[in-house]
């Protein structure tokens, strides 16, 4: 498979991971750690967003108009980095394994669309995608890129300097409170009045049950569950590890640093995904 390079690496557990994925019909569960090499920080890693930033919550977004306005002002600036992010070797390696028939499903907790940009198909976006918006009044789903065009027209002079250069995983950047009143938000084009929300699951919001059921179905039919770049701190992803372990489905976890699911793992690789996944694909996706 072109586009996937395998830097030399020595990971003792890689042989075990190769054997497990080589059996075929592996289901991948990916988290924010897979996208850090693309410039999108995770929440809980050594330099994670939660160490310096309180993420937007469902309660604040829906009940506090000022909080919602703050999010969109910050997202208007942060969208440039999200839209410009490129898939990394890890994303391309997962796509190569899928195209080789070894990965039978991809469930991602990420909202950046980089699996698809890296060549993967039929990706189940557990927490939605930042490339779409949804109207909280009429339910219309629209393109985030189209919204950006409208926001640029409504805010020709809004060019604040972020507090730092890093975008948060939920697509916004830190801005001084003093600049927020200079930002103009637009409403839904379909109904003319509804407030817009990124089509993602915020903290405190429930993942749609049909998505959870679809993910459970994928895991239940898999020969193995391979967790990539997730600390599994929240139940949103950890529940699939619990289900696999309960059903006797082998679990592999590849993550730099400990995870909540380590005791459930049959194979545990504590190493950067950018080293492990390209070599795995080089071994198997030929």
């Amino acid at each position: 498979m072109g586009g996937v390079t395998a830097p030399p690496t020595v990971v003792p557990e890689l042989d075990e991971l190769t054997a497990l994925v080589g059996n075929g019909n592996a289901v991948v569960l990916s988290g924010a750690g897979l996208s850090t090499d693309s410039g999108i920080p995770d929440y809980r890693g050594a330099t994670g967003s939660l160490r310096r930033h309180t993420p937007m919550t469902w309660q604040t977004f829906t009940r506090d108009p000022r909080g919602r306005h703050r999010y969109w002002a910050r997202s208007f600036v942060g969208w440039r980095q999200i839209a410009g992010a490129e898939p990394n070797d890890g994303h391309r390696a997962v796509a190569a394994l899928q195209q080789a028939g070894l990965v039978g499903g991809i469930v991602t907790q990420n909202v950046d669309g980089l699996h698809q940009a890296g060549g993967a198909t039929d990706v189940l976006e557990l927490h939605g995608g930042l490339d779409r918006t949804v109207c909280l009044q009429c339910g219309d789903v629209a393109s985030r890129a189209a919204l950006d065009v409208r926001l640029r027209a409504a805010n020709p002079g809004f060019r604040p300097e972020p507090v730092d250069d890093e975008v948060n995983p939920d697509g916004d950047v830190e801005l001084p409170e003093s600049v927020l009143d200079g930002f103009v938000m637009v409403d839904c084009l379909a109904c003319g009045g509804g407030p817009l929300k990124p089509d993602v699951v915020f903290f405190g919001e429930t993942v749609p049950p049909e998505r959870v059921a679809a993910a459970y179905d994928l895991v239940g039919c898999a020969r193995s569950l391979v967790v990539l770049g997730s600390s599994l701190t929240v139940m949103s992803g950890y529940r699939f590890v619990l289900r696999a372990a309960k059903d006797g489905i082998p679990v592999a976890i590849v993550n730099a640093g400990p995870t909540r699911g380590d005791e459930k793992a049959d194979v545990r690789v504590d190493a950067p995904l950018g080293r492990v996944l390209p070599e795995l694909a080089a071994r198997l996706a030929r």
Side-chain angles (χ1 to χ4, degrees):
M1 176 68 187
V4 177
T5 58
T9 183
V10 178
V11 179
E13 301 83 3
L14 189 54
D15 288 343
E16 298 176 68
L17 181 64
T18 301
L20 192 66
V21 176
N23 288 330
N25 197 25
V27 166
V28 164
L29 171 65
S30 67
L34 185 59
S35 292
T36 54
D37 285 349
S38 296
I40 299 176
D42 62 8
Y43 280 110
R44 296 178 175 84
T47 58
S49 175
L50 286 182
R51 295 174 181 266
R52 58 181 174 79
H53 163 69
T54 301
M56 175 56 63
T57 66
W58 167 253
Q59 292 78 9
T60 297
F61 193 90
T62 55
R63 299 174 188 173
D64 179 4
R66 179 68 176 178
R68 185 164 59 244
H69 185 86
R70 179 186 300 109
Y71 171 83
W72 278 119
R74 298 181 351 177
S75 180
F76 175 62
V77 178
W79 173 248
R80 308 289 177 274
Q81 188 169 336
I82 293 290
E86 297 286 343
N88 59 55
D89 284 347
H91 296 110
R92 287 186 283 270
V94 172
L97 291 167
Q98 184 187 45
Q99 290 161 21
L102 297 172
V103 168
I106 299 171
V107 179
T108 185
Q109 296 173 277
N110 300 338
V111 295
D112 50 40
L114 292 179
H115 269 302
Q116 297 92 320
T121 58
D122 298 322
V123 179
L124 196 165
E125 295 178 309
L126 195 63
H127 295 158
L130 281 170
D131 61 336
R132 306 179 297 274
T133 62
V134 59
C135 176
L136 293 179
Q137 180 167 294
C138 73
D140 182 67
V141 176
S143 161
R144 177 66 175 83
L147 173 62
D148 187 60
V149 172
R150 297 175 60 207
L151 290 177
R152 285 174 181 262
N155 295 275
F158 190 75
R159 297 184 181 88
E161 288 295 324
V163 173
D164 57 47
D165 293 330
E166 244 183 18
V167 68
N168 294 311
D170 45 7
D172 61 347
V173 297
E174 295 292 327
L175 293 179
E177 285 286 324
S178 58
V179 307
L180 297 181
D181 289 337
F183 174 73
V184 177
M185 184 54 192
V186 298
D187 291 323
C188 173
L189 275 179
C191 67
L196 297 174
K197 172 184 175 291
D199 192 15
V200 300
V201 177
F202 282 136
F203 278 76
E205 188 177 0
T206 302
V207 178
E210 62 273 15
R211 285 188 208 161
V212 177
Y216 274 136
D217 286 345
L218 285 173
V219 173
C221 296
R223 288 184 181 171
S224 63
L225 174 65
V226 182
V227 180
L228 303 177
S230 176
S231 65
L232 300 170
T233 301
V234 296
M235 187 57 71
S236 177
Y238 184 51
R239 57 184 154 191
F240 303 115
V241 172
L242 294 177
R243 173 62 64 88
K246 178 182 177 182
D247 292 349
I249 298 167
V251 175
I253 299 177
V254 186
N255 190 67
T259 82
R260 185 183 182 185
D262 286 351
E263 292 186 358
K264 303 291 185 182
D266 299 273
V267 177
R268 177 69 174 94
V269 182
D270 189 344
L273 276 73
R275 291 172 53 204
V276 173
L277 294 180
E279 184 165 335
L280 181 66
R283 291 184 178 195
L284 294 172
R286 299 176 181 177

